[in-house]
Amino acid sequence: MANTNLHFKTNYDVSSKIEPFYKGGKVQISKDEKYIFCTCGSRVNVLEISTGKIVHSIEHDDQEDITSFALSCDDELLVTASRALLLKQWDWRQAQCTRSWKAIHTVPVASMTFDSTSTLLATGGCDGTIKLWDVVKQYCTHNLKGSSGVVHLVQFHPDISRLQLFSSSLDCGIRLWDLRSSQCVCVLQSHYSAVTSLSFSSDGGTMVSSGRDKICTVWDLKTRKVKRTVPVYEAVEGVVLLPDNKDFSQIGVKSKDLHFITAGSKGVLRVWETTTARCVYTQTLPSTLTPVSGEEEEKDDDPRSLTYLFHLPTSSRLATVTAEHNILLYQLPGLTTQQQFVGYNDEVLDVKFLGEGDSHIVVATNSSQLKVFELLTNSCQILYGHTDTVLSLDVFRKGSLFASCAKDRSVRVWHMDSDSGQVRCVAHGSSHTNAVGSISCSRMKASFIVSGSQDCTVKVWDLPADLSTTATDVYQLTARTTEKVHDKDVNSVAVSPNDKLLASGSQDRTAKLWSLVGERNVALLGVFRGHRRGVWTVCFSPVDQVLATSSADGTTKLWSLQDFSCLKTFEGHDASVLKAIFVSRGTQLLTSGSDGLVKLWTIKTNECVKTLDAHQDKVWGLHASRKDDKMVTGSADSNITVWVDVTEVEMAEQQAKQEDLILKQQELSNLLHEKKYLKALGLAISLDQPHTVLTVIKAIQEGDDSRKLLEKTILKLRQDQKESLLRYCVVWNTNARNCLDAQAVLQVLLTHLPPEELLQYQGARTHLEGLIPYTEKHMQRIGHLLQASMFLNYMWQKMRVAGAPSRGQDEEMDTTPLAHTQPFFMIDKEKGKGSSEERHDDSDSEQDDDPLCPVEEEEDEDNEVSVSKKASTNNRRVEYGESTTNDNSHSESEESSEEEDNDQDEKDPVKTVKCLPVSSASQCQTFAS
């Protein structure tokens, strides 16, 4: 099965993400028309229009939901209000809160706006009051009372010299406040439902108001009377007065009278003439989008309705926000679609790569609309056609044609133009009697599609040869054959790579294999039984006669197409396995589940080599690119993630690092040979390998006048290199072998660098604290060694050799250096506590390897013999030189010594046995200390 030249995938890394940035609420566009500000729970996200990227995200520390916000007219100040009744002023470009204060309102703030000078801020509360704030002097200037219920609309008159504020609340009236007297001058009564927006003429004398009562009212602000009531026959959420100094003839503006544009529940923009109260232009709907019926119009949650409308005068554009949280920008005067942004995807049900080079992805969300994203810019096309939720997608081999199926019992085929990137519907078929839950395209060429439905049937639809080049009319598909294939819902269908076989998976816990070779009907070839719950997906191997199935029982199985036996079972997901696809030329599997995980399996070893945890909910969408170098996942958590295969990249980077390391080590060796210690030390530090740096330090200390050379070299290092050296010293100091080198470096640093400079080093306090306990331990060990050496020196001077010619009691003995003699041992007869404990401690700190410890050169091959046994053995077997002393006298001497020892034991219980350092023919003798 496996190709020996193929490198298995071992890891995927996130390349890009498409995440929700707008979940409803207020939207505002900056004055310079470069940014869109919108709420998303506890955050205000700032979307850059030119790139479609979120460039800033403002969030309250308490993570309370933001109820309203306002951006000043000079684009400098952003003020947010949260449910915690706090107002916060932000430097939004730095995402820093510069000031916060209590809102004074007793309930959350519902609406906010700045005046044209960016000095006054008005807040309308759910308590029926309006507060005005001087954001420069930072105090409340007005407290306006009199509104009934929630104040959901506040807006300053554009002419600030008038000092007027307009507001609206639940009583459907428009209140006009005089800010000089803090009084309500009048209430403009015309609407019978909530007032949604206000728009002012350029001279400030005329105002248009819109409401959900399906009318727009034109007001004369001088007389404060109604000039015209325009019935618009839809609940209007936004209104914009068109400027009178531009040509808008393309959208029906033929006279110099005032015209305004409305956006509302019908989901289209319409242009109205104020004097005649008639609609002069209606935006053209997409050819596949049916008009909203009167019954549908009454729905409050119709996804096609518009919730906001903005005029961008500098760029001569209009911006709308849909109920599905999509933001669309239209270019005036033709109202052509310029940009589309998807603020919230809801639950992602399927996702596929699309286009040449997999430059786009097509996404099916919990919506009747399809969304096609360009991965480079995140710009989106919204495709209308289906009338109910799209459930599944599949892409033809070339990547420019794809098919979709939906709950509306229909299938559609779409074509993306390779030059413009525009997508249109080219074919449509509908003859299922229930929701169509799965679809699969032919693999060899775009000749047919297969659909599986909840009506337990599959249908094969033939496609015309010139489908992608047909006229703008949508081709009507006719099913070639219809076959009842399962007893329950058909969850998945898949066409084999040679277009001759069809696999189906069902809620009845089985998968089936069918032949597509026949003219009219599909023929059953076999049944795959073994799953304990419904089968979610079926997938053919691209190279072998193997079928993969995944099930709600948490397993993925591989089946033989020859005898329909189960070859392998993969277990690892904690819940249903929703998708399974082959990668790495059929040698590996990718699976996704209800647990939010994506797992990578190697088929040959049944091993899960990687688990990707990037989603918080069911991963419905899973697809690999045609080049097999990346994959895309879509989840019920509304996130879409594009992953890149980093296996080959990691291998290349690892090989490059290895080659670079070899070259640097060779260079380091050359520098040490040439005694260029400063360059060698700098190179070793750059490698960030403490052991390599220690090697250089040891090399420096081996030379003549090593102390001055080490000092000179270290002091010439840069500050960051000294920081690294201090960090390495902490590591070296934990080992008794390397403590002397660490202390030598520390002596240079602590002697020549002032404490103020040392404390500025990153982590200096932690490093210095880590040095103290091990340094104390090393000092104690050296102190014990010094005491032992002093005692040894004393014993050396007081020793006398039995049988040697007397040279006077006080005559000094030949003190040959210890390195030229055999080793000695010092032991406590009663297993002396002090020395045994010291030996135990020293072994823990690797004292045996310390250069200060005496070296034991033993002739005895058994290194495990205890010290006391070694001493007693030596006393028995070693003879003293060429002495001719008889055995009796020697025995008497030993008995005499033992008697003296016994007498001494009563006074001093501590005894020490010494083995004298003598020549190979010497004999040891014991002395009481």
Side-chain angles (χ1 to χ4, degrees):
M1 280 177 72
N3 186 344
T4 55
N5 296 325
L6 181 67
H7 294 293
F8 287 136
K9 301 181 188 302
T10 59
N11 193 16
Y12 284 91
D13 196 11
V14 175
S15 172
S16 61
K17 278 189 174 184
I18 300 176
E19 299 177 297
F21 65 85
Y22 172 57
K23 295 183 179 180
K26 184 176 180 180
V27 175
Q28 187 174 348
I29 299 178
S30 61
K31 193 75 171 179
D32 60 11
E33 302 177 7
K34 293 182 179 179
Y35 303 98
I36 299 175
F37 292 74
C38 46
T39 55
C40 186
S42 62
R43 303 191 307 273
V44 173
N45 289 321
V46 184
L47 178 77
E48 189 174 27
I49 295 177
S50 60
T51 63
K53 306 288 186 183
I54 299 297
V55 293
H56 303 289
S57 187
I58 313 300
E59 184 172 13
H60 281 219
D61 295 335
D62 53 14
Q63 295 186 341
E64 289 282 350
D65 283 352
I66 293 176
T67 57
S68 185
F69 71 90
L71 178 69
S72 62
C73 293
D74 57 6
D75 294 339
E76 292 299 323
L77 300 179
L78 177 70
V79 177
T80 59
S82 70
R83 294 190 180 277
L85 304 182
L86 281 178
L87 296 175
K88 287 182 177 287
Q89 182 176 308
W90 301 84
D91 178 358
W92 61 269
R93 291 183 175 87
Q94 303 297 326
Q96 293 182 350
C97 179
T98 58
R99 177 179 168 239
S100 63
W101 68 95
K102 292 183 178 180
I104 303 179
H105 292 280
T106 57
V107 286
V109 174
S111 56
M112 301 171 67
T113 188
F114 273 95
D115 74 335
S116 58
T117 65
S118 302
T119 58
L120 284 179
L121 172 69
T123 59
C126 296
D127 55 2
T129 66
I130 302 171
K131 318 286 185 187
L132 267 70
W133 310 85
D134 189 323
V135 295
V136 177
K137 298 181 180 179
Q138 302 180 359
Y139 69 98
C140 180
T141 62
H142 297 74
N143 184 17
L144 308 178
K145 299 180 180 179
S147 301
S148 58
V150 177
V151 181
H152 60 265
L153 174 67
V154 287
Q155 192 165 340
F156 286 95
H157 192 283
D159 184 2
I160 191 60
S161 61
R162 299 193 183 193
L163 287 177
Q164 292 178 340
L165 178 72
F166 295 84
S167 69
S168 182
S169 58
L170 293 181
D171 59 5
C172 307
I174 303 173
R175 281 180 165 76
L176 174 59
W177 303 86
D178 182 3
L179 300 183
R180 291 184 177 88
S181 61
S182 299
Q183 298 295 322
C184 177
V185 178
C186 66
V187 180
L188 306 179
Q189 294 285 0
S190 172
H191 292 279
Y192 298 95
S193 185
V195 178
T196 54
S197 67
L198 305 175
S199 183
F200 297 87
S201 62
S202 56
D203 61 2
T206 303
M207 179 182 75
V208 178
S209 62
S210 65
R212 298 194 180 115
D213 52 5
K214 303 182 181 182
I215 64 170
C216 288
T217 305
V218 183
W219 302 88
D220 185 344
L221 294 182
K222 293 181 180 179
T223 62
R224 297 167 187 166
K225 301 293 183 183
V226 176
K227 292 175 63 175
R228 173 73 67 178
T229 298
V230 181
V232 294
Y233 309 108
E234 68 171 329
V236 181
E237 297 294 334
V239 63
V240 167
L241 269 169
L242 287 173
D244 53 9
N245 56 355
K246 293 187 178 181
D247 180 16
F248 294 106
S249 58
Q250 292 186 38
I251 53 176
V253 178
K254 305 297 183 182
S255 65
K256 294 185 178 180
D257 295 331
L258 280 178
H259 292 74
F260 60 88
I261 299 180
T262 59
S265 58
K266 289 188 176 180
V268 294
L269 299 177
R270 295 194 289 175
V271 182
W272 301 82
E273 189 177 38
T274 57
T275 54
T276 61
R278 65 186 181 91
C279 177
V280 296
Y281 179 83
T282 300
Q283 184 185 19
T284 304
L285 290 170
S287 59
T288 56
L289 182 60
T290 57
V292 180
S293 64
E295 185 176 325
E296 290 176 331
E297 188 181 335
E298 299 300 324
K299 295 180 181 179
D300 294 333
D301 57 349
D302 188 349
R304 288 167 284 184
S305 64
L306 302 177
T307 57
Y308 284 95
L309 176 65
F310 305 98
H311 181 221
L312 311 180
T314 304
S315 58
S316 188
R317 290 185 294 179
L318 289 176
T320 63
V321 181
T322 71
E324 280 203 331
H325 314 304
N326 303 323
I327 302 174
L328 294 83
L329 274 69
Y330 299 99
Q331 186 66 56
L332 290 172
L335 286 183
T336 55
T337 304
Q338 190 184 57
Q339 287 177 284
Q340 302 179 70
F341 303 104
V342 177
Y344 183 65
N345 281 314
D346 204 354
E347 187 172 355
V348 178
L349 301 181
D350 205 357
V351 59
K352 291 288 190 294
F353 281 106
L354 183 65
E356 186 177 354
D358 301 314
S359 58
H360 295 68
I361 56 173
V362 56
V363 184
T365 63
N366 193 16
S367 165
S368 61
Q369 305 166 10
L370 285 170
K371 300 178 178 70
V372 178
F373 290 90
E374 184 180 6
L375 293 177
L376 188 62
T377 62
N378 273 11
S379 62
C380 176
Q381 295 180 60
I382 300 174
L383 308 181
Y384 298 91
H386 289 287
T387 57
D388 206 341
T389 304
V390 180
L391 297 176
S392 184
L393 302 165
D394 198 19
V395 182
F396 287 91
R397 181 178 178 182
K398 290 186 177 180
S400 59
L401 277 174
F402 67 95
S404 62
C405 60
K407 285 184 177 181
D408 60 6
R409 308 175 186 179
S410 72
V411 297
R412 287 183 178 268
V413 180
W414 309 78
H415 176 256
M416 185 175 74
D417 185 83
S418 58
D419 297 327
S420 64
Q422 295 298 311
V423 181
R424 64 184 182 90
C425 181
V426 294
H428 170 254
S430 57
S431 60
H432 279 287
T433 60
N434 209 329
V436 186
S438 61
I439 196 165
S440 181
C441 301
S442 56
R443 299 305 171 197
M444 300 294 289
K445 59 179 181 179
S447 57
F448 65 90
I449 58 175
V450 179
S451 60
S453 169
Q454 289 183 7
D455 59 13
C456 306
T457 67
V458 295
K459 291 180 181 288
V460 181
W461 311 78
D462 285 325
L463 303 180
D466 57 346
L467 185 62
S468 60
T469 59
T470 54
T472 56
D473 294 336
V474 178
Y475 181 84
Q476 293 299 316
L477 297 174
T478 302
R480 180 215 305 174
T481 182
T482 300
E483 187 75 22
K484 184 179 184 298
V485 293
H486 288 280
D487 297 328
K488 291 185 178 180
D489 300 357
V490 179
N491 291 332
S492 177
V493 291
V495 176
S496 65
N498 61 3
D499 286 349
K500 294 182 179 180
L501 299 175
L502 171 69
S504 61
S506 169
Q507 203 66 25
D508 63 7
R509 307 179 185 180
T510 67
K512 294 184 179 182
L513 185 67
W514 307 83
S515 173
L516 291 175
V517 178
E519 289 293 330
R520 303 296 299 174
N521 298 324
V522 294
L524 179 64
L525 298 178
V527 181
F528 305 96
R529 291 186 175 91
H531 284 295
R532 299 186 303 275
R533 300 189 67 181
V535 177
W536 275 114
T537 188
V538 291
C539 180
F540 283 98
S541 169
V543 294
D544 295 312
Q545 295 186 11
V546 172
L547 181 76
T549 62
S550 65
S551 168
D553 61 10
T555 66
T556 303
K557 293 179 180 289
L558 290 185
W559 307 85
S560 170
L561 299 183
Q562 296 177 345
D563 58 6
F564 309 105
S565 62
C566 180
L567 302 175
K568 290 180 181 290
T569 300
F570 301 92
E571 297 179 329
H573 287 279
D574 295 332
S576 300
V577 184
L578 303 175
K579 279 291 177 72
I581 59 174
F582 285 93
V583 292
S584 305
R585 300 180 191 174
T587 60
Q588 291 182 294
L589 270 175
L590 279 169
T591 60
S592 64
S594 298
D595 51 10
L597 303 178
V598 177
K599 290 181 178 289
L600 174 64
W601 306 83
T602 298
I603 294 176
K604 186 176 182 179
T605 60
N606 268 38
E607 177 188 6
C608 177
V609 296
K610 187 67 178 179
T611 298
L612 305 174
D613 185 9
H615 295 284
Q616 305 299 320
D617 208 339
K618 306 178 188 69
V619 182
W620 288 109
L622 177 65
H623 191 230
S625 63
R626 284 173 293 168
K627 292 183 179 180
D628 205 21
D629 58 344
K630 56 186 177 182
M631 70 167 176
V632 61
T633 56
S635 170
D637 62 6
S638 307
N639 292 331
I640 302 166
T641 306
V642 179
W643 306 80
V644 61
D645 174 24
V646 296
T647 304
E648 294 186 5
V649 177
E650 287 179 345
M651 291 175 61
E653 290 179 351
Q654 185 176 1
Q655 184 177 359
K657 288 181 180 180
Q658 188 68 23
E659 292 175 354
D660 183 59
L661 180 61
I662 293 174
L663 292 175
K664 287 186 176 181
Q665 287 179 345
Q666 182 62 45
E667 182 183 357
L668 180 63
S669 178
N670 295 338
L671 290 173
L672 290 177
H673 180 71
E674 297 170 3
K675 296 186 178 181
K676 296 180 179 179
Y677 296 121
L678 180 60
K679 289 185 177 180
L681 187 58
L683 179 60
I685 293 174
S686 68
L687 294 175
D688 197 22
Q689 295 181 351
H691 179 72
T692 305
V693 179
L694 180 62
T695 302
V696 179
I697 296 295
K698 289 181 178 293
I700 295 175
Q701 296 204 96
E702 289 176 357
D704 298 333
D705 202 4
S706 59
R707 182 174 179 180
K708 289 185 178 180
L709 181 59
L710 181 65
E711 180 179 310
K712 179 181 178 182
T713 305
I714 292 176
L715 294 179
K716 287 184 178 180
L717 295 174
R718 301 191 308 268
Q719 178 175 336
D720 60 320
Q721 293 174 326
K722 293 176 183 176
E723 288 181 3
S724 300
L725 205 57
L726 178 61
R727 176 162 49 89
Y728 299 153
C729 284
V730 179
V731 179
W732 302 337
N733 197 51
T734 61
N735 193 325
R737 297 180 183 180
N738 308 321
C739 66
L740 293 180
D741 300 299
Q743 294 296 329
V745 174
L746 286 173
Q747 183 181 12
V748 176
L749 294 176
L750 296 176
T751 303
H752 294 85
L753 299 181
E756 295 79 8
E757 181 179 345
L758 274 174
L759 290 176
Q760 291 178 357
Y761 288 0
Q762 186 176 2
R765 294 182 182 273
T766 305
H767 298 331
L768 294 175
E769 290 175 359
L771 285 166
I772 294 174
Y774 282 97
T775 302
E776 291 177 346
K777 186 175 182 180
H778 296 323
M779 289 297 295
Q780 291 175 0
R781 178 172 53 82
I782 293 174
H784 293 321
L785 289 174
L786 182 59
Q787 291 177 5
S789 65
M790 293 175 64
F791 180 71
L792 175 63
N793 187 54
Y794 171 77
M795 291 298 299
W796 187 275
Q797 302 298 332
K798 297 299 181 182
M799 280 192 302
R800 58 186 177 85
V801 181
S806 178
R807 293 182 292 179
Q809 184 176 358
D810 297 329
E811 184 178 357
E812 292 185 358
M813 295 182 62
D814 180 19
T815 56
T816 306
L818 293 179
H820 301 291
T821 63
Q822 289 196 358
F824 63 89
F825 302 92
M826 178 178 67
I827 339 204
D828 187 357
K829 265 189 176 180
E830 298 183 6
K831 301 179 182 179
K833 295 181 181 179
S835 59
S836 63
E837 290 175 356
E838 291 168 9
R839 181 171 298 277
H840 179 68
D841 290 342
D842 292 342
S843 65
D844 290 344
S845 61
E846 299 183 28
Q847 179 181 346
D848 292 346
D849 296 321
D850 195 287
L852 291 179
C853 300
V855 180
E856 299 181 5
E857 299 177 357
E858 301 169 3
E859 293 184 0
D860 195 349
E861 295 180 357
D862 188 3
N863 294 327
E864 299 298 323
V865 179
S866 66
V867 177
S868 59
K869 288 185 178 180
K870 283 183 182 179
S872 60
T873 303
N874 289 338
N875 286 336
R876 289 194 302 268
R877 72 182 182 186
V878 179
E879 294 182 354
Y880 173 64
E882 300 295 330
S883 173
T884 57
T885 308
N886 59 51
D887 295 337
N888 294 334
S889 62
H890 184 66
S891 300
E892 292 175 359
S893 176
E894 287 180 350
E895 292 175 359
S896 175
S897 298
E898 289 176 359
E899 291 175 359
E900 293 175 0
D901 291 342
N902 292 334
D903 294 336
Q904 185 66 24
D905 287 344
E906 297 176 357
K907 300 178 181 179
D908 186 2
V910 179
K911 298 283 186 173
T912 302
V913 178
K914 293 292 182 179
C915 178
L916 302 181
V918 294
S919 62
S920 60
S922 301
Q923 181 178 9
C924 295
Q925 186 161 349
T926 58
F927 295 90
S929 58

